Amino acid sequence: MTEVLPEGFQVDLSIEAGDWPAKEELEPLAVRAIGAAFASADLQVLKHTEVSLLFTDDTAIRKLNGQWRNKDKPTNVLSFPGSDPKGDAYGPLLGDIVFGYETISLEAKEMGVEFSDHISHLTVHGLLHLFDYDHQESDEAELMESLEKTILASIDIDDPYADSPLVGDGE
């Protein structure tokens, strides 16, 4: 499958803190995961929409998690929608996705998955949150998980929920 981003879609990737791979390694992973999401799901954006990806450490993501979700602990990924949809299309600022290095690294080891596959999964997960997908209720969680599995399978990443579900942080 060829992953293609929508017309003019921009990925703004920054590394703030943490022992992340170089931007030159992270960006292709992110673009591949985002492209797969657009190819596999009915996600609509305006032309020239942008998403911001911030790769940071657990200290920073813990602060954000406390400030925005009243949870005083680090987490793997947080999503901050940037705009309400105009009809069915989102944009031009889709939103921000923030990744916490230590939590993601530990989860990948505990789950026995490649770090790059886990980053790809969490990129898809974070992106779906920007499109109002959620996992608060069981029916919403099933829909979101099913969509994640379909998207990841399209880029040859195994079902991240097959052996053990990704442990959430009380969401």
Side-chain angles (χ1 to χ4, degrees), residues 104-150:
I104 292 172
S105 180
L106 180 62
E107 286 175 347
K109 287 178 188 165
E110 288 176 347
M111 294 167 58
V113 298
E114 292 291 326
F115 185 70
S116 59
D117 287 353
H118 197 41
I119 293 170
S120 296
H121 172 214
L122 293 173
T123 300
V124 168
H125 185 88
L127 184 75
L128 291 176
H129 276 308
L130 297 180
F131 284 94
D132 292 328
Y133 285 89
D134 209 345
H135 44 85
Q136 297 296 319
E137 306 294 328
S138 60
D139 59 334
E140 294 173 339
E142 288 176 26
L143 174 62
M144 187 171 176
E145 184 177 306
S146 174
L147 196 50
E148 287 176 38
K149 290 190 274 190
T150 298

Side-chain angles (χ1 to χ4, degrees), residues 4 9-10 35 59 75 90 98 106 108 111 114-115 146 159 166:
V4 179
F9 191 87
Q10 296 291 313
T59 300
T75 189
Y90 288 74
V98 183
L106 180 62
M111 294 167 58
E114 292 291 326
F115 185 70
S146 174
D159 176 358
L166 183 62

Side-chain angles (χ1 to χ4, degrees), residues 15 17-21 26 54-61 74-77 98-109 115 118-119 122:
I15 301 172
D19 194 21
W20 293 100
L26 289 173
L54 176 63
F55 291 83
T56 192
D57 62 13
D58 275 11
T59 300
I61 205 165
T75 189
N76 51 19
V77 65
V98 183
F99 302 85
Y101 178 77
E102 293 87 350
T103 297
I104 292 172
S105 180
L106 180 62
E107 286 175 347
K109 287 178 188 165
F115 185 70
H118 197 41
I119 293 170
L122 293 173

